[in-house]
Amino acid sequence: MKRSVFKNRGLPYLLVLPQLAVTLVFFFWPAFESLRLSFFRTSAFGDRVVFVGLENFRKLLVSGDYYQSVVNSFIFAFGVTALGVGAGLFVAALATQNVRGLTAYRTAVLWPYGIAPPIAGIIFLFIFHPSYGVLPYWLSFVTAYEFNWLLKGWVAMALVVIATAWTHVGYNIAFFLAGLLAVPTSVLEAASVDGAGALRRFRLIVFPLLAPITFYLVVVNLFFSFFSSFGMIHAVTQGGPGGATEIMVFKVYKDGFIGLNLGSSAAQSVILMLVVIGLTALQFRFVEKRITY
Amino acid sequence: MPAVLETRRRPLDWHALVVHALLLACVALIAFPLYYAFVISTQTVEQVIARPPVLRPAGHAVQNYLEAWTRAKMGRLLWNSAVVAVVSALGKIVISVLSAFAIVYFNFRGRTACFWLILVTLMLPVEVRIMSTYEVIGNLGWLDSYAGLTVPLMASATATFLFRQFYLTIPHEMVEAAQLDGAGPMRFLWSFLVPLSWANIAALFVVLFIYGWNQYLWPLMITNTEAMRVVVIGLQDLIPRTGTHIPEWNIMMAAAMMALLPPVAVILFMQRWFVKGLVESEK
């Protein structure tokens, strides 16, 4: 397609300048700096820098702590994604049924998206609180098990997973609603005339049409919980108890900013960038697929 | 479960009843944490720690909110958050509109390279390059400043991509018409493109405002003084950690309610734009 364009010479450069400046200074420079630092060992005061090659990476690969943070990240990310996407689909499917008051229902389930994950974390921290929280109190009628996130690693993990999924469920619902409303009603009506029940219609017609959106949401939820959940962990569990909720982004911060082990932190950043590139490639394949529809 | 078409004619619509019941259950489940936080924010410490838990609002809201406001210096925190959210959102929109405009409406050397340079930033969330970005800000002398809090948040590949897609849908006869009328590029941008994209801008603003308001890691790292902290971080001081502290969860929750209200209010008031912005900005 041939487009009409303006002829000015210098103007386009001036127009892209602010965006490029921010991008180069705050994205590319730090990214290359991380890559460079990952090959060096820096003393705690930053006065001595020694080239160590791949040593930082080798140390990470044999470190039990790092291995645990990788496992934690996967448990966390897959937990948030399964819970958030599953609940989102369920609620969105309900909110597109033919009943009154749908607008009110939709509003009532979307808003948690506005709540900052750390604040959501604090609220759930109290709901789970071993001595004052309402959840351990209710559970104590069912089981004598002590749901104490300060002592039990898996309770702490459940706490941050549920709180994170809660902040993200509105987002998932919004996308599933958009997808479900795009399903042609004539097809559904035809199936219904043919005697297909609601569940059968959902499984055979709606779900295949929703598959691209579901895939997109899975990638985005994984992305979100892998990379944007620092605040949740920092505000709620600080990685504890005993490292049970220490996920990779939290460890980058802890080793770099608190432990001042810049080389290791940079090497961890580089590994995270590789994960991001992988997830982005997945997402692009999805975008391409959408375009060919 | 019988099909929708059959049940619609019956006097008692079981399908609708079941859907309503399930929807109400979902709403209750999703709303409970917020309701609970609100209830706690209105109670005295004695009511907070009472067993069985009191799940009704009590009458101490005013005292708790005033106490939280003064103790956490909420005025300053909320102001800082508002500055970060509004400035970073507006900044993102402005630089994205400009660069998308350049990429669509001009032929210049390096245009494709520019587009890819911007698009690649999709792959670099601040969390993965945190230490070196901190260093860069330190070198610029921007620690503890509004510039440091807002400018690094302004590059947005998604916003640029969104405006680019939108401009590509605008018929190019418009450009020719504008050129025939003697309008220069900036005039065309300001009098044609911007008015046409108000809806996109509003939608994007809502999403970016919430994104900026809820930033945590970045402000945590680059601000050291109380005067520059944002509300999501300032709340930390109020968490009654285990130990000798009085469990003042009521004060904590009062502060949390004040901190979460602005972005939630933005969603509720601008719901139509919010959903549009959400669905469009991520595709």
Side-chain angles (χ1 to χ4, degrees):
Chain A
M1 180 177 68
K2 201 168 172 298
R3 295 192 63 88
S4 319
V5 290
F6 291 102
K7 297 286 186 285
N8 306 51
R9 280 268 169 101
L11 189 61
Y13 294 102
L14 214 58
L15 291 171
V16 288
L17 185 70
Q19 174 93 299
L20 280 188
V22 174
T23 304
L24 290 174
V25 175
F26 300 109
F27 286 79
F28 284 96
W29 183 8
F32 284 112
E33 189 64 11
S34 290
L35 190 61
R36 193 181 66 79
L37 274 177
S38 68
F39 298 114
F40 288 87
R41 194 167 57 226
T42 315
S43 69
F45 300 102
D47 51 352
R48 266 170 12 94
V49 183
V50 188
F51 181 80
V52 292
L54 292 172
E55 178 64 14
N56 288 321
F57 291 95
R58 196 194 62 81
K59 274 201 186 136
L60 283 176
L61 292 181
V62 297
S63 144
D65 280 358
Y66 191 65
Y67 177 72
Q68 199 193 352
S69 82
V70 174
V71 172
N72 287 340
S73 296
F74 275 91
I75 295 174
F76 178 75
F78 281 95
V80 170
T81 304
L83 189 60
V85 175
L89 179 57
F90 181 71
V91 176
L94 283 175
T96 42
Q97 299 297 309
N98 192 12
V99 294
R100 283 158 187 270
L102 284 179
T103 321
Y105 282 126
R106 285 175 195 168
T107 310
V109 292
L110 284 182
W111 56 266
Y113 179 76
I115 296 182
I119 297 180
I122 292 170
I123 294 175
F124 276 85
L125 187 81
F126 186 67
I127 293 175
F128 273 78
H129 197 286
S131 1
Y132 315 124
V134 68
L135 192 66
Y137 176 78
W138 284 340
L139 287 171
S140 69
F141 292 106
V142 189
T143 162
Y145 189 84
E146 206 190 341
F147 289 91
N148 188 342
W149 58 269
L150 290 166
L151 303 174
K152 302 220 161 61
W154 77 268
V155 181
M157 182 58 96
L159 160 60
V160 288
V161 165
I162 293 170
T164 309
W166 183 63
T167 63
H168 219 44
V169 76
Y171 180 90
N172 297 332
I173 292 171
F175 273 86
F176 277 130
L177 276 178
L180 284 167
L181 293 174
V183 174
T185 42
S186 55
V187 178
L188 289 178
E189 273 162 16
S192 154
V193 169
D194 287 348
L199 284 177
R200 204 174 152 77
R201 283 194 309 253
F202 187 82
R203 191 165 55 85
L204 293 178
I205 301 169
V206 180
F207 195 77
L209 287 170
L210 276 188
I213 287 180
T214 312
F215 177 72
Y216 167 78
L217 285 176
V218 166
V219 173
V220 168
N221 277 262
L222 287 177
F223 199 91
F224 171 83
S225 30
F226 247 105
F227 302 106
S228 301
S229 291
F230 171 85
M232 176 66 72
I233 304 293
H234 186 263
V236 178
T237 64
Q238 298 274 334
T245 56
E246 190 169 287
I247 59 173
M248 288 157 87
V249 280
F250 187 76
K251 200 168 157 56
V252 171
Y253 166 84
K254 203 183 89 176
D255 290 355
F257 205 63
I258 297 172
L260 292 176
N261 190 346
L262 295 180
S264 173
S265 179
Q268 294 178 36
S269 290
V270 171
I271 294 175
L272 277 174
M273 283 186 221
L274 293 178
V275 177
V276 185
I277 290 170
L279 279 175
T280 312
L282 261 179
Q283 209 177 325
F284 267 113
R285 279 190 59 184
F286 161 75
V287 171
E288 247 171 277
K289 246 169 99 184
R290 276 187 59 81
I291 287 168
T292 58
Y293 273 2
Chain B
M1 197 188 296
V4 188
L5 292 181
E6 299 161 28
T7 53
R8 223 178 267 155
R9 285 177 223 111
R10 293 187 190 172
L12 189 58
D13 189 343
W14 282 104
H15 174 258
L17 270 181
V18 171
V19 170
H20 277 297
L22 286 174
L23 273 172
L24 284 173
C26 290
V27 170
L29 208 60
I30 290 174
F32 177 76
L34 189 68
Y35 171 76
Y36 189 52
F38 169 72
V39 165
I40 296 298
S41 76
T42 65
Q43 296 180 343
T44 61
V45 175
E46 289 72 36
Q47 287 167 313
V48 170
I49 65 175
R51 303 280 86 170
V54 186
L55 289 176
R56 303 180 304 278
H60 287 77
V62 177
Q63 294 98 302
N64 291 345
Y65 281 76
L66 284 176
E67 175 65 28
W69 181 273
T70 46
R71 203 190 295 174
K73 303 192 178 66
M74 287 297 278
R76 182 73 193 180
L77 293 176
L78 291 173
W79 167 252
N80 287 344
S81 289
V83 169
V84 171
V86 171
V87 173
S88 69
L90 289 181
K92 256 184 190 174
I93 289 172
V94 169
I95 68 176
S96 300
V97 163
L98 292 181
S99 53
F101 177 59
I103 286 167
V104 174
Y105 288 98
F106 293 89
N107 265 325
F108 58 101
R109 194 185 287 272
R111 185 172 72 158
T112 321
C114 281
F115 182 64
W116 282 105
L117 272 180
I118 295 166
L119 205 62
V120 165
T121 57
L122 268 181
M123 294 202 249
L124 295 170
V126 72
E127 282 80 2
V128 312
R129 56 190 157 85
I130 189 71
M131 291 308 302
S132 6
T133 315
Y134 175 79
E135 256 190 78
V136 169
I137 295 289
N139 289 337
L140 291 171
W142 281 8
L143 294 177
D144 257 328
S145 71
Y146 285 122
L149 276 170
T150 53
V151 177
L153 300 178
M154 283 181 193
S156 171
T158 44
T160 310
F161 197 64
L162 177 70
F163 285 117
R164 176 184 169 268
Q165 297 300 84
F166 178 68
Y167 293 160
L168 287 174
T169 65
I170 291 176
H172 59 134
E173 285 82 2
M174 276 193 70
V175 189
E176 284 158 17
Q179 282 171 335
L180 282 179
D181 287 350
M186 294 316 282
R187 177 72 203 234
F188 176 71
L189 173 67
W190 186 246
S191 306
F192 287 88
L193 286 187
V194 171
L196 280 175
S197 44
W198 273 130
N200 299 58
I201 291 174
L204 200 59
F205 180 80
V206 180
V207 175
L208 296 179
F209 176 89
I210 292 162
Y211 175 80
W213 185 277
N214 291 346
Q215 281 295 311
Y216 185 87
L217 176 57
W218 186 240
L220 175 73
M221 285 189 70
I222 72 147
T223 62
N224 317 310
T225 57
E226 260 189 28
M228 292 307 295
R229 280 196 304 191
V230 297
V231 70
V232 178
I233 290 165
L235 291 186
Q236 294 301 304
D237 297 346
L238 293 180
I239 300 179
R241 299 285 180 189
T242 42
T244 51
H245 291 290
I246 309 164
E248 286 183 303
W249 283 97
N250 49 350
I251 309 295
M252 171 76 247
M253 290 307 169
M257 294 303 291
M258 289 190 269
L260 64 79
L261 202 61
V264 169
V266 165
I267 289 184
L268 294 180
F269 283 121
M270 300 189 64
Q271 200 208 341
R272 200 156 60 93
W273 301 122
F274 162 65
V275 174
K276 202 163 133 48
L278 203 60
V279 174
E280 283 186 351
S281 73
E282 297 291 341
K283 274 190 178 166

